[in-house]
Amino acid sequence: MLIRHASDLTENDVTPKSAFVNRRQIIQAAGGIALAGAVPGVFAESQSVPSWLNQTVDQTVFRSVTTDEGITDRADATSYNNFYEFGTGKGDPARHSGDFNPYPWEITVDGECTKPGTFDLAPLISGASASEERIYRLRCVEAWSMVIPWIGVELGKLLQQFEPTSDARYVAFETIERPDEMRGQRSRFSFIDYPYVEGLRMDEAMHPLAFMAIGMYGEPLPNQNGAPIRLLLPWKYGFKSIKSVSRISFVREMPPTTWNLSAANEYGFYANVNPEVDHPRWSQASERRIGANGDVDRIETRMFNGYDEVAPLYAGMDLRKFF
Ligand code: MTE
């Protein structure tokens, strides 16, 4: 899928936010209410969203929501989630993230860079670039997928503010630890260790497709989707797209990653979407697309989730070995 920056858009590509939101409300009125009723709190608007965040989201240039693939209903994208900090069931994040308060939010940046520190989120976002909307496919390693309109900034533009040095070969990310607000983190039965950690090679992180989202569907991110800021790497399995990021570290060595630590033979560091490399317990050749209007179709999975422009990052690598 082609991504375009705000500056490349013509008048015809742009949907005023009011029209976008109205369309969403119509869709919700038509089909989303039943689902919202099933999962209390899905549409609960946070009372404490700071004004800078609402303004940033409002100032985003909204693209037309027309695309060759139907956009997943917001009701589905916000009620069928993976966020183990709030439980392992798909409905748990929406059901149990109401006590999580992501505002105000700071990110600690350390390691191989000339401008480390602990920063408020607002200046980090405004310092990166104007926010933009991107419609990305999200392909989970569990073989389901969605198409979601996100709002945010390029990861590379955010990272450049810290001036990583030439010793920074990888970048590591960490999710916040708040066991009092995140029931999964205090569960004795959790089978992953917290904090949730992820990582990228520097050149992957600087690729223009790598994105940090602060919103979706024209609004700030709901808690269950990783408020207030989460990573999106549309060519990789969804588990690389770490939520509620509170630490970024520039490092020399390949950093540990949560699912690799949990089962190294099943989840690699790279985790590029690849229909030819099956998960040891299931095929990755196809996926269940949770699409527009709640329609669910079985479709073929594409290499790099269809984002061929990332292929040069892996030239010469054996992607069966580095899965
Ligand atoms: N980030 C954290 N901190 N904890 C998680 O459990 N789950 C990952 C990823 N990021 C996860 C996470 C997985 S497996 C997927 S598929 C995506 O988030 C799901 O994102 P979504 O719920 O917004 O669709």
Side-chain angles (χ1 to χ4, degrees):
M1 183 184 301
L2 209 71
I3 54 159
R4 287 178 296 174
H5 296 266
S7 55
D8 302 329
L9 294 170
T10 68
E11 202 55 23
N12 293 337
D13 293 316
V14 178
T15 310
K17 187 185 173 193
S18 54
F20 182 91
V21 171
N22 284 343
R23 180 183 172 280
R24 178 170 55 69
Q25 283 163 349
I26 292 164
I27 292 169
Q28 279 175 16
I33 296 300
L35 195 54
V39 184
V42 168
F43 295 117
E45 301 298 335
S46 170
Q47 301 301 310
S48 56
V49 174
S51 56
W52 73 266
L53 182 52
N54 280 324
Q55 274 162 20
T56 306
V57 164
D58 283 343
Q59 282 158 10
T60 302
V61 176
F62 286 90
R63 284 181 47 180
S64 161
V65 289
T66 51
T67 157
D68 52 337
E69 290 163 275
I71 294 195
T72 303
D73 287 0
R74 183 186 189 270
D76 289 336
T78 58
S79 65
Y80 187 88
N81 300 101
N82 279 332
F83 200 169
Y84 276 48
E85 283 82 343
F86 297 109
T88 54
K90 292 285 182 278
D92 286 344
R95 203 174 287 121
H96 300 305
S97 62
D99 290 339
F100 178 63
N101 182 4
Y103 313 114
W105 192 262
E106 291 180 333
I107 298 185
T108 297
V109 180
D110 55 19
E112 309 293 345
C113 64
T114 59
K115 295 193 168 161
T118 295
F119 305 92
D120 282 335
L121 184 56
L124 290 187
I125 296 298
S126 59
S129 67
S131 64
E132 49 178 303
E133 182 181 64
R134 294 199 184 178
I135 300 169
Y136 275 167
R137 291 183 284 274
L138 176 84
R139 170 47 160 97
C140 179
V141 75
E142 298 162 343
W144 55 266
S145 64
M146 298 188 184
V147 181
I148 299 176
W150 304 98
I151 295 166
V153 296
E154 266 179 36
L155 173 64
K157 289 182 182 163
L158 188 120
L159 294 183
Q160 270 162 359
Q161 299 176 91
F162 315 116
E163 299 179 0
T165 69
S166 55
D167 288 329
R169 293 183 53 233
Y170 295 88
V171 56
F173 302 88
E174 211 174 277
T175 294
I176 199 156
E177 274 192 285
R178 286 204 194 148
D180 48 332
E181 295 176 22
M182 298 172 134
R183 57 158 58 197
Q185 287 184 340
R186 51 178 197 266
S187 165
R188 286 185 294 120
F189 303 106
S190 177
F191 54 94
I192 60 174
D193 286 330
Y194 297 106
Y196 193 102
V197 289
E198 259 305 336
L200 293 169
R201 248 177 22 203
M202 266 317 265
D203 59 341
E204 297 181 297
M206 301 313 279
H207 192 281
L209 278 178
F211 199 61
M212 285 298 254
I214 53 168
M216 65 193 294
Y217 296 89
E219 288 167 14
L221 278 184
N223 287 348
Q224 61 267 37
N225 293 88
I229 182 164
R230 58 95 55 90
L231 189 58
L232 286 165
L233 305 159
W235 70 99
K236 293 179 179 284
Y237 291 121
F239 66 83
K240 297 289 292 181
S241 293
I242 182 171
K243 296 176 169 180
S244 305
V245 172
S246 63
R247 180 182 289 271
I248 298 176
S249 307
F250 296 100
V251 294
R252 293 168 189 239
E253 308 294 334
M254 184 181 277
T257 59
T258 286
W259 285 101
N260 182 256
L261 289 171
S262 136
N265 63 323
E266 299 190 7
Y267 309 104
F269 175 82
Y270 285 95
N272 292 317
V273 175
N274 189 341
E276 287 165 19
V277 177
D278 286 337
H279 186 279
R281 291 182 280 129
W282 60 84
S283 164
Q284 294 291 22
S286 68
E287 66 204 54
R288 199 165 47 89
R289 166 62 55 81
I290 303 167
N293 308 316
D295 289 345
V296 179
D297 294 312
R298 176 64 55 181
I299 60 172
E300 282 184 13
T301 290
R302 290 191 269 165
M303 187 68 207
F304 300 123
N305 203 18
Y307 298 96
D308 299 333
E309 56 267 55
V310 300
L313 292 172
Y314 311 103
M317 281 175 65
D318 179 351
L319 296 182
R320 288 189 174 275
K321 189 168 166 210
F322 299 103
F323 61 96

